[in-house]
Amino acid sequence: MIKPDLSQEIPAELGAVHFVGIGGSGMSGIARLMIDAGIPVSGSDAKESKGTKALRERGARVSIGHAAENLGDADTLVVTSALWPDNPEYLLAKERGIPILHRSQALAWVAGRHRLIAVAGAHGKTTSTGMIVTGLIELGQKPGFVNGGVISALGTSSASGEGEIFVLEADESDGSFLLYDKVVALITNVDPDHLDHYGSVQAVEDAFVTFADEASELVVISADDAGAIRVSERLGAHRVLSFGEDVDADVRLHSVETGDNVTFQVRYLGNDYAGSLLVPGRHNALNAAGAFAVLVGMGFAPAETLDAIARFGGTGRRFELHDTVRGVSVYDDYAHHPTEVEAALTAARTVVGEGRIIAVHQPHLYSRTQLMAGEFAETLERTADFTIVLDVCGAREDPVPGVTGALVSERFADPETVRYIDDWQTAADFMASIARPGDFVVTLGCGDVNLIVPQLLDALARETQAPPAA
């Protein structure tokens, strides 16, 4: 993969912009905003998707497959950290000497004309961003936003907005979240993730301190997460609101009841306020407390703010129900870290009733799988009734000898509760052979594991009785 040059000066005028990987949720969202701003947009992607089709309908020139001629007469190129350095469009842009911007730089250009709320953290960013956007809209605002997933009720991951407020999900994975000129920073948690970029836990926390210190008006940060607490202790003279279940949190979450709906109380400035959510899981009550802290910190009334957040209906790939076949419900979740897996499956447990949870886990990145195979195994074995482990989605990384999904399955204490199956159709057929009415099947991973969902549903519809996989 290429390392983004975050020192690249962002031009005041971008001219015609070409996106490599335009179909992704983040890139397509930025492309839509540029189209709305009247900028000529083109792009390429490896395969056709809803995102590429929607952008064509809005006037973008989109090519499937990567080739130098796709660059056309673009004045600016936008790329992601997942781009390989031999990409022909990237090489031609370098040869021409046109500005090459990382997606975060393009997003900074789009958001730079607004009062910016930036949401960062190892987990919960997309949901927290969606809750803030939903809350603002229900409170009568018209924010612009770019989120890492589609906000279900709005049917989009981005919008230009009409007001002065802009909300974005800030990606800390490569340090690019430090680009944004923000008035409010929300930090959901600070887990030791993305060590392939940062090199050490200390470097991760240093970056979050910088991210928070650069917020000009307000920092909202978890009072429960150990990493976030360490970051809090190092912050400068900011206005800081902490949130969580800790007794000393400025926004204290308590009385959480989980089930089909989540209810809870938050204590703020000595008063208790009642909240509820349409999305399941205790972790979502924590996300709501963070979103509440952002909005009341900006001056919105507490009771009205919780009522507004209650309208949030979820985001794509976050415990997203696709269909129910033969009484078996198939969900997809973006969880790709043990903490996220635990949150997703614990939420599923609150609503599955007498059914079982069958996890279909796609490990993401060879480096993360090698480092965290034991943690994934322990979490999956504890929170799911049965786990099917697929092979690793390497994404931007080259394969590492000996690192496959078997590295996770072999760490299970009880081998009868797990199968490693590297062929997707075999995995789908095996799932259908063990699932029974009332069960939840949950795909887990931030790679392309969501693409197995049609195979899972088809296998259930065919009532396949596959032999147990080896």
Side-chain angles (χ1 to χ4, degrees):
M1 66 176 183
I2 64 168
K3 287 287 187 182
D5 179 9
L6 301 182
S7 66
Q8 163 74 54
E9 183 177 352
I10 303 174
E13 300 297 330
L14 301 180
V17 180
H18 184 79
F19 291 76
V20 181
I22 197 169
S25 59
M27 292 282 268
S28 63
I30 300 169
R32 280 196 298 272
L33 297 187
M34 289 192 174
I35 292 170
D36 290 347
I39 294 173
V41 168
S42 62
S44 63
D45 213 309
K47 56 191 173 184
E48 195 75 77
S49 65
K50 290 181 181 178
T52 57
K53 293 175 182 176
L55 287 169
R56 275 201 204 91
E57 291 173 359
R58 296 174 75 98
R61 176 177 61 82
V62 180
S63 304
I64 302 304
H66 298 298
E69 57 265 27
N70 293 341
L71 186 64
D73 57 358
D75 302 297
T76 304
L77 185 75
V78 178
V79 301
T80 72
S81 298
L83 188 70
W84 291 98
D86 60 353
N87 179 278
E89 294 156 48
Y90 170 71
L91 292 175
L92 181 58
K94 286 184 67 177
E95 181 182 320
R96 290 183 181 175
I98 68 174
I100 299 174
L101 302 182
H102 185 263
R103 65 174 292 276
S104 58
Q105 293 167 309
L107 182 51
W109 186 91
V110 169
R113 298 158 176 78
H114 302 270
R115 283 171 49 79
L116 179 61
I117 303 168
V119 181
H123 326 293
K125 292 188 297 290
T126 301
T127 295
S128 298
T129 302
M131 287 178 170
I132 293 169
V133 170
T134 301
L136 286 167
I137 291 172
E138 294 294 330
L139 290 165
Q141 307 299 303
K142 296 181 179 180
F145 62 91
V146 173
N147 200 16
V150 172
I151 300 174
S152 299
L154 303 179
T156 184
S157 63
S158 69
S160 298
E162 298 178 22
E164 64 174 358
I165 299 175
F166 199 97
V167 189
L168 62 82
E169 177 181 333
D171 179 14
E172 78 283 353
S173 66
D174 54 12
S176 60
F177 72 148
L178 301 179
L179 286 170
Y180 304 120
D181 184 13
K182 54 201 169 290
V183 298
V184 179
L186 167 60
I187 298 176
T188 59
N189 38 60
V190 184
D191 269 3
D193 202 0
H194 308 300
L195 296 180
D196 56 325
H197 172 76
Y198 290 99
S200 69
V201 173
Q202 183 65 48
V204 173
E205 294 179 3
D206 289 347
F208 274 95
V209 170
T210 302
F211 173 78
D213 277 342
E214 290 176 345
S216 60
E217 296 180 12
L218 174 67
V219 176
V220 175
I221 189 165
S222 170
D224 299 337
D225 177 73
I229 292 169
R230 289 192 295 271
V231 167
S232 297
E233 293 169 347
R234 298 172 55 194
L235 297 184
H238 281 83
R239 182 184 174 213
V240 178
L241 283 178
S242 61
F243 72 94
E245 296 183 89
D246 186 88
V247 293
D248 294 323
D250 298 308
V251 173
R252 186 189 168 210
L253 176 70
H254 64 95
S255 305
V256 180
E257 298 288 340
T258 60
D260 290 340
N261 294 311
V262 177
T263 61
F264 57 91
Q265 298 269 329
V266 291
R267 176 164 283 266
Y268 176 61
L269 296 179
N271 295 307
D272 284 322
Y273 301 93
S276 63
L277 295 173
L278 299 173
V279 290
R282 189 181 197 89
H283 66 295
N284 278 321
L286 279 168
N287 291 333
F292 171 86
V294 167
L295 295 176
V296 296
M298 296 180 70
F300 293 98
E304 288 80 356
T305 293
L306 277 183
D307 287 344
I309 292 171
R311 309 290 176 84
F312 173 71
T315 55
R317 297 220 60 202
R318 271 68 180 181
F319 200 59
E320 180 182 12
L321 175 63
H322 280 260
D323 205 350
T324 300
V325 178
R326 289 174 38 210
V328 179
S329 299
V330 178
Y331 290 83
D332 174 52
D333 196 275
Y334 198 71
H336 56 283
H337 184 279
T339 303
E340 295 170 341
V341 169
E342 179 167 16
L345 297 186
T346 300
R349 185 69 65 191
T350 66
V351 292
V352 72
E354 298 298 316
R356 301 170 304 158
I357 295 173
I358 301 172
V360 180
H361 169 60
Q362 182 190 54
H364 189 252
L365 300 181
Y366 297 101
S367 58
R368 180 183 286 129
T369 304
Q370 194 169 32
L371 181 67
M372 296 184 171
E375 293 179 60
F376 276 111
E378 188 280 328
T379 301
L380 288 161
E381 189 165 12
R382 176 166 44 83
T383 55
D385 295 290
F386 194 92
T387 300
I388 297 170
V389 181
L390 305 176
D391 213 349
V392 178
C393 175
R396 58 185 180 269
E397 295 182 341
D398 290 322
V400 175
V403 179
T404 70
L407 210 60
V408 176
S409 64
E410 290 167 357
R411 299 297 201 283
F412 274 61
D414 182 359
E416 296 303 313
T417 63
V418 64
R419 292 287 189 281
Y420 166 55
I421 307 175
D422 60 2
D423 178 77
W424 280 20
Q425 190 58 58
T426 303
D429 291 343
F430 177 75
M431 177 281 303
S433 76
I434 64 172
R436 56 187 186 231
D439 288 352
F440 282 7
V441 176
V442 187
T443 60
L444 300 161
C446 69
D448 59 359
V449 68
N450 58 307
L451 300 181
I452 199 176
V453 168
Q455 288 173 265
L456 299 175
L457 294 170
D458 179 66
L460 287 167
R462 289 187 284 106
E463 297 187 342
T464 302
Q465 296 299 309

